[in-house]
Amino acid sequence: DAGVIQSPRHEVTEMGQEVTLRCKPISGHNSLFWYRQTMMRGLELLIYFNNNVPIDDSGMPEDRFSAKMPNASFSTLKIQPSEPRDSAVYFCASSRQGASYGYTFGSGTRLTVV
Amino acid sequence: KQEVTQIPAALSVPEGENLVLNCSFTDSAIYNLQWFRQDPGKGLTSLLLIQSSQREQTSGRLNASLDKSSGRSTLYIAASQPGDSATYLCAVNAGKSTFGDGTTLTVKP
């Protein structure tokens, strides 16, 4: 089991550019979560999917953020246009049946917007 | 709205000491509670998962307890080692999870 795989590990981009973060959940996990972590706000849930369907996107900060899960093995989080305040570590996590069996986190993508 | 508090925010102990980290939550209608460890610049590693029907879980030197009625969980670390130095977070799961801000532990050799 390769775990939850995120790419890229690090991303540095200029303000206004589009950024796409990628996540491959653990095979057999039907729930996927995107989190953002900053020193000021800690871990924040942005959006989560059950069976590829977005269930709760109330944590998505604004319309510049969008997430998709076209199939059970792939999800993207897109920021367009990016702003310096989006700089954070973005984590993807997956689980079986919501959080009934707990989460497994990926290693995260450290995003820096300059 | 679920609120999760972890106390203390930081803890420094000498090697070999036993210690307890605390997690409290406001809404007892939970599915489970999970403890994670996070090393600097790294992701979250799951340590223990306690279902709402359970009272405790053990893994090696770690023991986590859950008192759902009082909204509390503790993580007990026995015979601490410098390698235990990290930030420990608890996550309360009720459909979606709410994380505490973590306790940063430093174990001095």
PDB file of all heavy atoms in Angstrom, chain A residues 30-62:
ATOM      1  N   ASN A  30     -13.235   5.249   0.055  1.00  0.00           N
ATOM      2  CA  ASN A  30     -14.250   5.930  -0.733  1.00  0.00           C
ATOM      3  C   ASN A  30     -14.519   7.355  -0.270  1.00  0.00           C
ATOM      4  O   ASN A  30     -15.427   8.015  -0.785  1.00  0.00           O
ATOM      5  CB  ASN A  30     -15.558   5.121  -0.743  1.00  0.00           C
ATOM      6  CG  ASN A  30     -16.146   4.963   0.643  1.00  0.00           C
ATOM      7  OD1 ASN A  30     -15.513   5.283   1.637  1.00  0.00           O
ATOM      8  ND2 ASN A  30     -17.373   4.477   0.701  1.00  0.00           N
ATOM      9  N   SER A  31     -13.743   7.836   0.693  1.00  0.00           N
ATOM     10  CA  SER A  31     -13.880   9.220   1.127  1.00  0.00           C
ATOM     11  C   SER A  31     -12.545   9.932   0.990  1.00  0.00           C
ATOM     12  O   SER A  31     -11.500   9.368   1.308  1.00  0.00           O
ATOM     13  CB  SER A  31     -14.347   9.295   2.591  1.00  0.00           C
ATOM     14  OG  SER A  31     -15.631   8.736   2.729  1.00  0.00           O
ATOM     15  N   LEU A  32     -12.600  11.162   0.503  1.00  0.00           N
ATOM     16  CA  LEU A  32     -11.381  11.940   0.300  1.00  0.00           C
ATOM     17  C   LEU A  32     -11.593  13.342   0.836  1.00  0.00           C
ATOM     18  O   LEU A  32     -12.660  13.942   0.655  1.00  0.00           O
ATOM     19  CB  LEU A  32     -11.021  11.988  -1.192  1.00  0.00           C
ATOM     20  CG  LEU A  32      -9.720  12.698  -1.546  1.00  0.00           C
ATOM     21  CD1 LEU A  32      -8.971  11.943  -2.641  1.00  0.00           C
ATOM     22  CD2 LEU A  32      -9.959  14.141  -1.936  1.00  0.00           C
ATOM     23  N   PHE A  33     -10.561  13.851   1.494  1.00  0.00           N
ATOM     24  CA  PHE A  33     -10.643  15.132   2.185  1.00  0.00           C
ATOM     25  C   PHE A  33      -9.469  16.015   1.769  1.00  0.00           C
ATOM     26  O   PHE A  33      -8.343  15.529   1.653  1.00  0.00           O
ATOM     27  CB  PHE A  33     -10.571  14.926   3.705  1.00  0.00           C
ATOM     28  CG  PHE A  33     -11.575  13.937   4.240  1.00  0.00           C
ATOM     29  CD1 PHE A  33     -11.339  12.569   4.157  1.00  0.00           C
ATOM     30  CD2 PHE A  33     -12.746  14.374   4.830  1.00  0.00           C
ATOM     31  CE1 PHE A  33     -12.265  11.654   4.646  1.00  0.00           C
ATOM     32  CE2 PHE A  33     -13.670  13.467   5.326  1.00  0.00           C
ATOM     33  CZ  PHE A  33     -13.428  12.110   5.232  1.00  0.00           C
ATOM     34  N   TRP A  34      -9.734  17.281   1.558  1.00  0.00           N
ATOM     35  CA  TRP A  34      -8.678  18.268   1.349  1.00  0.00           C
ATOM     36  C   TRP A  34      -8.631  19.197   2.564  1.00  0.00           C
ATOM     37  O   TRP A  34      -9.654  19.774   2.958  1.00  0.00           O
ATOM     38  CB  TRP A  34      -8.934  19.095   0.094  1.00  0.00           C
ATOM     39  CG  TRP A  34      -8.600  18.409  -1.193  1.00  0.00           C
ATOM     40  CD1 TRP A  34      -9.454  17.805  -2.070  1.00  0.00           C
ATOM     41  CD2 TRP A  34      -7.296  18.278  -1.775  1.00  0.00           C
ATOM     42  NE1 TRP A  34      -8.767  17.304  -3.138  1.00  0.00           N
ATOM     43  CE2 TRP A  34      -7.442  17.591  -2.990  1.00  0.00           C
ATOM     44  CE3 TRP A  34      -6.010  18.684  -1.388  1.00  0.00           C
ATOM     45  CZ2 TRP A  34      -6.366  17.281  -3.817  1.00  0.00           C
ATOM     46  CZ3 TRP A  34      -4.949  18.381  -2.210  1.00  0.00           C
ATOM     47  CH2 TRP A  34      -5.128  17.689  -3.411  1.00  0.00           C
ATOM     48  N   TYR A  35      -7.428  19.337   3.136  1.00  0.00           N
ATOM     49  CA  TYR A  35      -7.194  20.208   4.278  1.00  0.00           C
ATOM     50  C   TYR A  35      -6.138  21.243   3.915  1.00  0.00           C
ATOM     51  O   TYR A  35      -5.278  21.019   3.061  1.00  0.00           O
ATOM     52  CB  TYR A  35      -6.674  19.416   5.484  1.00  0.00           C
ATOM     53  CG  TYR A  35      -7.713  18.632   6.229  1.00  0.00           C
ATOM     54  CD1 TYR A  35      -8.010  17.324   5.863  1.00  0.00           C
ATOM     55  CD2 TYR A  35      -8.382  19.186   7.316  1.00  0.00           C
ATOM     56  CE1 TYR A  35      -8.967  16.599   6.565  1.00  0.00           C
ATOM     57  CE2 TYR A  35      -9.337  18.461   8.014  1.00  0.00           C
ATOM     58  CZ  TYR A  35      -9.618  17.166   7.632  1.00  0.00           C
ATOM     59  OH  TYR A  35     -10.561  16.446   8.323  1.00  0.00           O
ATOM     60  N   ARG A  36      -6.190  22.364   4.620  1.00  0.00           N
ATOM     61  CA  ARG A  36      -5.154  23.389   4.512  1.00  0.00           C
ATOM     62  C   ARG A  36      -4.616  23.630   5.923  1.00  0.00           C
ATOM     63  O   ARG A  36      -5.400  23.723   6.881  1.00  0.00           O
ATOM     64  CB  ARG A  36      -5.731  24.669   3.933  1.00  0.00           C
ATOM     65  CG  ARG A  36      -4.744  25.807   3.841  1.00  0.00           C
ATOM     66  CD  ARG A  36      -5.319  26.988   3.069  1.00  0.00           C
ATOM     67  NE  ARG A  36      -6.410  27.657   3.755  1.00  0.00           N
ATOM     68  CZ  ARG A  36      -7.005  28.751   3.289  1.00  0.00           C
ATOM     69  NH1 ARG A  36      -6.625  29.270   2.143  1.00  0.00           N
ATOM     70  NH2 ARG A  36      -7.990  29.294   3.971  1.00  0.00           N
ATOM     71  N   GLN A  37      -3.296  23.739   6.036  1.00  0.00           N
ATOM     72  CA  GLN A  37      -2.694  23.984   7.345  1.00  0.00           C
ATOM     73  C   GLN A  37      -1.824  25.231   7.308  1.00  0.00           C
ATOM     74  O   GLN A  37      -0.933  25.356   6.464  1.00  0.00           O
ATOM     75  CB  GLN A  37      -1.852  22.787   7.798  1.00  0.00           C
ATOM     76  CG  GLN A  37      -1.345  22.911   9.238  1.00  0.00           C
ATOM     77  CD  GLN A  37      -0.569  21.692   9.688  1.00  0.00           C
ATOM     78  OE1 GLN A  37       0.218  21.121   8.935  1.00  0.00           O
ATOM     79  NE2 GLN A  37      -0.790  21.273  10.943  1.00  0.00           N
ATOM     80  N   THR A  38      -2.093  26.153   8.214  1.00  0.00           N
ATOM     81  CA  THR A  38      -1.274  27.345   8.392  1.00  0.00           C
ATOM     82  C   THR A  38      -0.986  27.525   9.873  1.00  0.00           C
ATOM     83  O   THR A  38      -1.690  26.969  10.731  1.00  0.00           O
ATOM     84  CB  THR A  38      -1.980  28.609   7.869  1.00  0.00           C
ATOM     85  OG1 THR A  38      -3.206  28.790   8.621  1.00  0.00           O
ATOM     86  CG2 THR A  38      -2.317  28.508   6.398  1.00  0.00           C
ATOM     87  N   MET A  39       0.025  28.300  10.164  1.00  0.00           N
ATOM     88  CA  MET A  39       0.359  28.559  11.569  1.00  0.00           C
ATOM     89  C   MET A  39      -0.782  29.292  12.263  1.00  0.00           C
ATOM     90  O   MET A  39      -1.103  29.017  13.408  1.00  0.00           O
ATOM     91  CB  MET A  39       1.632  29.386  11.656  1.00  0.00           C
ATOM     92  CG  MET A  39       2.896  28.628  11.286  1.00  0.00           C
ATOM     93  SD  MET A  39       3.276  27.336  12.469  1.00  0.00           S
ATOM     94  CE  MET A  39       3.697  28.327  13.894  1.00  0.00           C
ATOM     95  N   MET A  40      -1.402  30.205  11.532  1.00  0.00           N
ATOM     96  CA  MET A  40      -2.427  31.044  12.159  1.00  0.00           C
ATOM     97  C   MET A  40      -3.726  30.288  12.396  1.00  0.00           C
ATOM     98  O   MET A  40      -4.385  30.490  13.421  1.00  0.00           O
ATOM     99  CB  MET A  40      -2.706  32.261  11.278  1.00  0.00           C
ATOM    100  CG  MET A  40      -1.559  33.248  11.208  1.00  0.00           C
ATOM    101  SD  MET A  40      -1.232  33.989  12.823  1.00  0.00           S
ATOM    102  CE  MET A  40      -2.747  34.908  13.064  1.00  0.00           C
ATOM    103  N   ARG A  41      -4.125  29.422  11.473  1.00  0.00           N
ATOM    104  CA  ARG A  41      -5.455  28.825  11.519  1.00  0.00           C
ATOM    105  C   ARG A  41      -5.450  27.327  11.756  1.00  0.00           C
ATOM    106  O   ARG A  41      -6.512  26.698  11.837  1.00  0.00           O
ATOM    107  CB  ARG A  41      -6.195  29.155  10.224  1.00  0.00           C
ATOM    108  CG  ARG A  41      -6.352  30.643   9.970  1.00  0.00           C
ATOM    109  CD  ARG A  41      -6.920  30.904   8.587  1.00  0.00           C
ATOM    110  NE  ARG A  41      -8.311  30.482   8.487  1.00  0.00           N
ATOM    111  CZ  ARG A  41      -9.358  31.272   8.720  1.00  0.00           C
ATOM    112  NH1 ARG A  41      -9.156  32.521   9.075  1.00  0.00           N
ATOM    113  NH2 ARG A  41     -10.594  30.808   8.601  1.00  0.00           N
ATOM    114  N   GLY A  42      -4.266  26.738  11.847  1.00  0.00           N
ATOM    115  CA  GLY A  42      -4.201  25.296  12.074  1.00  0.00           C
ATOM    116  C   GLY A  42      -4.694  24.531  10.857  1.00  0.00           C
ATOM    117  O   GLY A  42      -4.567  24.977   9.724  1.00  0.00           O
ATOM    118  N   LEU A  43      -5.282  23.359  11.112  1.00  0.00           N
ATOM    119  CA  LEU A  43      -5.811  22.502  10.044  1.00  0.00           C
ATOM    120  C   LEU A  43      -7.262  22.867   9.764  1.00  0.00           C
ATOM    121  O   LEU A  43      -8.099  22.839  10.655  1.00  0.00           O
ATOM    122  CB  LEU A  43      -5.744  21.047  10.463  1.00  0.00           C
ATOM    123  CG  LEU A  43      -4.557  20.235  10.006  1.00  0.00           C
ATOM    124  CD1 LEU A  43      -4.528  18.906  10.708  1.00  0.00           C
ATOM    125  CD2 LEU A  43      -4.585  20.023   8.507  1.00  0.00           C
ATOM    126  N   GLU A  44      -7.543  23.176   8.522  1.00  0.00           N
ATOM    127  CA  GLU A  44      -8.906  23.530   8.122  1.00  0.00           C
ATOM    128  C   GLU A  44      -9.371  22.558   7.035  1.00  0.00           C
ATOM    129  O   GLU A  44      -8.667  22.344   6.051  1.00  0.00           O
ATOM    130  CB  GLU A  44      -8.956  24.928   7.514  1.00  0.00           C
ATOM    131  CG  GLU A  44      -8.462  26.043   8.404  1.00  0.00           C
ATOM    132  CD  GLU A  44      -8.426  27.349   7.625  1.00  0.00           C
ATOM    133  OE1 GLU A  44      -7.443  27.575   6.890  1.00  0.00           O
ATOM    134  OE2 GLU A  44      -9.389  28.141   7.737  1.00  0.00           O
ATOM    135  N   LEU A  45     -10.561  22.016   7.217  1.00  0.00           N
ATOM    136  CA  LEU A  45     -11.148  21.171   6.186  1.00  0.00           C
ATOM    137  C   LEU A  45     -11.711  22.068   5.078  1.00  0.00           C
ATOM    138  O   LEU A  45     -12.525  22.950   5.330  1.00  0.00           O
ATOM    139  CB  LEU A  45     -12.261  20.312   6.764  1.00  0.00           C
ATOM    140  CG  LEU A  45     -13.019  19.434   5.774  1.00  0.00           C
ATOM    141  CD1 LEU A  45     -12.104  18.373   5.174  1.00  0.00           C
ATOM    142  CD2 LEU A  45     -14.222  18.778   6.438  1.00  0.00           C
ATOM    143  N   LEU A  46     -11.261  21.837   3.854  1.00  0.00           N
ATOM    144  CA  LEU A  46     -11.731  22.623   2.726  1.00  0.00           C
ATOM    145  C   LEU A  46     -12.954  21.973   2.073  1.00  0.00           C
ATOM    146  O   LEU A  46     -13.973  22.617   1.845  1.00  0.00           O
ATOM    147  CB  LEU A  46     -10.618  22.785   1.692  1.00  0.00           C
ATOM    148  CG  LEU A  46      -9.339  23.469   2.183  1.00  0.00           C
ATOM    149  CD1 LEU A  46      -8.303  23.494   1.061  1.00  0.00           C
ATOM    150  CD2 LEU A  46      -9.628  24.869   2.665  1.00  0.00           C
ATOM    151  N   ILE A  47     -12.831  20.688   1.777  1.00  0.00           N
ATOM    152  CA  ILE A  47     -13.899  19.977   1.084  1.00  0.00           C
ATOM    153  C   ILE A  47     -13.710  18.492   1.291  1.00  0.00           C
ATOM    154  O   ILE A  47     -12.588  18.037   1.495  1.00  0.00           O
ATOM    155  CB  ILE A  47     -13.896  20.309  -0.430  1.00  0.00           C
ATOM    156  CG1 ILE A  47     -15.088  19.677  -1.157  1.00  0.00           C
ATOM    157  CG2 ILE A  47     -12.578  19.905  -1.081  1.00  0.00           C
ATOM    158  CD1 ILE A  47     -15.240  20.147  -2.614  1.00  0.00           C
ATOM    159  N   TYR A  48     -14.829  17.735   1.265  1.00  0.00           N
ATOM    160  CA  TYR A  48     -14.644  16.298   1.240  1.00  0.00           C
ATOM    161  C   TYR A  48     -15.642  15.640   0.311  1.00  0.00           C
ATOM    162  O   TYR A  48     -16.732  16.170   0.051  1.00  0.00           O
ATOM    163  CB  TYR A  48     -14.650  15.677   2.638  1.00  0.00           C
ATOM    164  CG  TYR A  48     -15.979  15.483   3.321  1.00  0.00           C
ATOM    165  CD1 TYR A  48     -16.678  14.281   3.217  1.00  0.00           C
ATOM    166  CD2 TYR A  48     -16.507  16.474   4.132  1.00  0.00           C
ATOM    167  CE1 TYR A  48     -17.875  14.087   3.883  1.00  0.00           C
ATOM    168  CE2 TYR A  48     -17.694  16.287   4.796  1.00  0.00           C
ATOM    169  CZ  TYR A  48     -18.367  15.093   4.686  1.00  0.00           C
ATOM    170  OH  TYR A  48     -19.557  14.901   5.356  1.00  0.00           O
ATOM    171  N   PHE A  49     -15.207  14.498  -0.205  1.00  0.00           N
ATOM    172  CA  PHE A  49     -15.961  13.717  -1.184  1.00  0.00           C
ATOM    173  C   PHE A  49     -16.285  12.347  -0.591  1.00  0.00           C
ATOM    174  O   PHE A  49     -15.464  11.745   0.090  1.00  0.00           O
ATOM    175  CB  PHE A  49     -15.128  13.476  -2.451  1.00  0.00           C
ATOM    176  CG  PHE A  49     -14.759  14.711  -3.220  1.00  0.00           C
ATOM    177  CD1 PHE A  49     -13.663  15.487  -2.851  1.00  0.00           C
ATOM    178  CD2 PHE A  49     -15.493  15.094  -4.348  1.00  0.00           C
ATOM    179  CE1 PHE A  49     -13.317  16.616  -3.577  1.00  0.00           C
ATOM    180  CE2 PHE A  49     -15.143  16.217  -5.084  1.00  0.00           C
ATOM    181  CZ  PHE A  49     -14.051  16.982  -4.691  1.00  0.00           C
ATOM    182  N   ASN A  50     -17.470  11.851  -0.884  1.00  0.00           N
ATOM    183  CA  ASN A  50     -17.817  10.453  -0.655  1.00  0.00           C
ATOM    184  C   ASN A  50     -18.178   9.858  -1.999  1.00  0.00           C
ATOM    185  O   ASN A  50     -19.034  10.397  -2.714  1.00  0.00           O
ATOM    186  CB  ASN A  50     -19.007  10.310   0.299  1.00  0.00           C
ATOM    187  CG  ASN A  50     -18.605  10.383   1.748  1.00  0.00           C
ATOM    188  OD1 ASN A  50     -17.423  10.355   2.081  1.00  0.00           O
ATOM    189  ND2 ASN A  50     -19.583  10.482   2.620  1.00  0.00           N
ATOM    190  N   ASN A  51     -17.531   8.738  -2.335  1.00  0.00           N
ATOM    191  CA  ASN A  51     -17.808   8.081  -3.616  1.00  0.00           C
ATOM    192  C   ASN A  51     -17.748   9.072  -4.783  1.00  0.00           C
ATOM    193  O   ASN A  51     -18.631   9.093  -5.653  1.00  0.00           O
ATOM    194  CB  ASN A  51     -19.175   7.383  -3.573  1.00  0.00           C
ATOM    195  CG  ASN A  51     -19.211   6.277  -2.535  1.00  0.00           C
ATOM    196  OD1 ASN A  51     -18.287   5.467  -2.431  1.00  0.00           O
ATOM    197  ND2 ASN A  51     -20.269   6.246  -1.736  1.00  0.00           N
ATOM    198  N   ASN A  52     -16.739   9.905  -4.781  1.00  0.00           N
ATOM    199  CA  ASN A  52     -16.432  10.867  -5.843  1.00  0.00           C
ATOM    200  C   ASN A  52     -17.379  12.058  -5.881  1.00  0.00           C
ATOM    201  O   ASN A  52     -17.241  12.920  -6.754  1.00  0.00           O
ATOM    202  CB  ASN A  52     -16.418  10.203  -7.233  1.00  0.00           C
ATOM    203  CG  ASN A  52     -15.635   8.915  -7.272  1.00  0.00           C
ATOM    204  OD1 ASN A  52     -14.787   8.682  -6.439  1.00  0.00           O
ATOM    205  ND2 ASN A  52     -15.947   8.074  -8.243  1.00  0.00           N
ATOM    206  N   VAL A  53     -18.324  12.130  -4.975  1.00  0.00           N
ATOM    207  CA  VAL A  53     -19.300  13.220  -4.976  1.00  0.00           C
ATOM    208  C   VAL A  53     -18.949  14.205  -3.859  1.00  0.00           C
ATOM    209  O   VAL A  53     -18.757  13.782  -2.715  1.00  0.00           O
ATOM    210  CB  VAL A  53     -20.726  12.673  -4.761  1.00  0.00           C
ATOM    211  CG1 VAL A  53     -21.725  13.828  -4.666  1.00  0.00           C
ATOM    212  CG2 VAL A  53     -21.104  11.714  -5.875  1.00  0.00           C
ATOM    213  N   PRO A  54     -18.883  15.508  -4.184  1.00  0.00           N
ATOM    214  CA  PRO A  54     -18.601  16.483  -3.112  1.00  0.00           C
ATOM    215  C   PRO A  54     -19.754  16.549  -2.123  1.00  0.00           C
ATOM    216  O   PRO A  54     -20.902  16.736  -2.527  1.00  0.00           O
ATOM    217  CB  PRO A  54     -18.411  17.799  -3.875  1.00  0.00           C
ATOM    218  CG  PRO A  54     -19.115  17.605  -5.182  1.00  0.00           C
ATOM    219  CD  PRO A  54     -19.034  16.156  -5.497  1.00  0.00           C
ATOM    220  N   ILE A  55     -19.444  16.379  -0.849  1.00  0.00           N
ATOM    221  CA  ILE A  55     -20.464  16.351   0.194  1.00  0.00           C
ATOM    222  C   ILE A  55     -20.551  17.679   0.933  1.00  0.00           C
ATOM    223  O   ILE A  55     -21.637  18.170   1.238  1.00  0.00           O
ATOM    224  CB  ILE A  55     -20.199  15.210   1.197  1.00  0.00           C
ATOM    225  CG1 ILE A  55     -20.154  13.856   0.484  1.00  0.00           C
ATOM    226  CG2 ILE A  55     -21.235  15.216   2.309  1.00  0.00           C
ATOM    227  CD1 ILE A  55     -21.431  13.498  -0.255  1.00  0.00           C
ATOM    228  N   ASP A  56     -19.409  18.233   1.225  1.00  0.00           N
ATOM    229  CA  ASP A  56     -19.391  19.477   2.003  1.00  0.00           C
ATOM    230  C   ASP A  56     -18.222  20.321   1.531  1.00  0.00           C
ATOM    231  O   ASP A  56     -17.070  19.937   1.715  1.00  0.00           O
ATOM    232  CB  ASP A  56     -19.259  19.165   3.484  1.00  0.00           C
ATOM    233  CG  ASP A  56     -19.373  20.401   4.371  1.00  0.00           C
ATOM    234  OD1 ASP A  56     -19.263  21.534   3.851  1.00  0.00           O
ATOM    235  OD2 ASP A  56     -19.568  20.232   5.584  1.00  0.00           O
ATOM    236  N   ASP A  57     -18.523  21.437   0.901  1.00  0.00           N
ATOM    237  CA  ASP A  57     -17.451  22.338   0.447  1.00  0.00           C
ATOM    238  C   ASP A  57     -17.517  23.670   1.198  1.00  0.00           C
ATOM    239  O   ASP A  57     -17.012  24.678   0.715  1.00  0.00           O
ATOM    240  CB  ASP A  57     -17.521  22.558  -1.058  1.00  0.00           C
ATOM    241  CG  ASP A  57     -18.793  23.281  -1.487  1.00  0.00           C
ATOM    242  OD1 ASP A  57     -19.671  23.516  -0.618  1.00  0.00           O
ATOM    243  OD2 ASP A  57     -18.921  23.614  -2.674  1.00  0.00           O
ATOM    244  N   SER A  58     -18.129  23.651   2.361  1.00  0.00           N
ATOM    245  CA  SER A  58     -18.304  24.897   3.107  1.00  0.00           C
ATOM    246  C   SER A  58     -16.990  25.503   3.569  1.00  0.00           C
ATOM    247  O   SER A  58     -16.925  26.675   3.909  1.00  0.00           O
ATOM    248  CB  SER A  58     -19.215  24.668   4.315  1.00  0.00           C
ATOM    249  OG  SER A  58     -18.675  23.695   5.182  1.00  0.00           O
ATOM    250  N   GLY A  59     -15.931  24.701   3.583  1.00  0.00           N
ATOM    251  CA  GLY A  59     -14.635  25.213   4.004  1.00  0.00           C
ATOM    252  C   GLY A  59     -13.824  25.847   2.879  1.00  0.00           C
ATOM    253  O   GLY A  59     -12.771  26.432   3.142  1.00  0.00           O
ATOM    254  N   MET A  60     -14.296  25.742   1.667  1.00  0.00           N
ATOM    255  CA  MET A  60     -13.572  26.349   0.543  1.00  0.00           C
ATOM    256  C   MET A  60     -13.632  27.860   0.722  1.00  0.00           C
ATOM    257  O   MET A  60     -14.728  28.453   0.782  1.00  0.00           O
ATOM    258  CB  MET A  60     -14.211  25.932  -0.784  1.00  0.00           C
ATOM    259  CG  MET A  60     -14.120  24.447  -1.038  1.00  0.00           C
ATOM    260  SD  MET A  60     -12.475  23.914  -1.484  1.00  0.00           S
ATOM    261  CE  MET A  60     -12.657  23.858  -3.260  1.00  0.00           C
ATOM    262  N   PRO A  61     -12.459  28.509   0.787  1.00  0.00           N
ATOM    263  CA  PRO A  61     -12.428  29.921   1.184  1.00  0.00           C
ATOM    264  C   PRO A  61     -13.179  30.852   0.238  1.00  0.00           C
ATOM    265  O   PRO A  61     -13.812  31.790   0.681  1.00  0.00           O
ATOM    266  CB  PRO A  61     -10.938  30.248   1.257  1.00  0.00           C
ATOM    267  CG  PRO A  61     -10.209  29.091   0.719  1.00  0.00           C
ATOM    268  CD  PRO A  61     -11.125  27.950   0.596  1.00  0.00           C
ATOM    269  N   GLU A  62     -13.100  30.637  -1.033  1.00  0.00           N
ATOM    270  CA  GLU A  62     -13.782  31.530  -1.979  1.00  0.00           C
ATOM    271  C   GLU A  62     -13.806  30.876  -3.347  1.00  0.00           C
ATOM    272  O   GLU A  62     -13.299  29.775  -3.538  1.00  0.00           O
ATOM    273  CB  GLU A  62     -13.069  32.885  -2.020  1.00  0.00           C
ATOM    274  CG  GLU A  62     -11.564  32.784  -2.111  1.00  0.00           C
ATOM    275  CD  GLU A  62     -10.898  34.101  -1.741  1.00  0.00           C
ATOM    276  OE1 GLU A  62     -10.815  34.982  -2.609  1.00  0.00           O
ATOM    277  OE2 GLU A  62     -10.450  34.222  -0.594  1.00  0.00           O
TER     278      GLU A  62
END
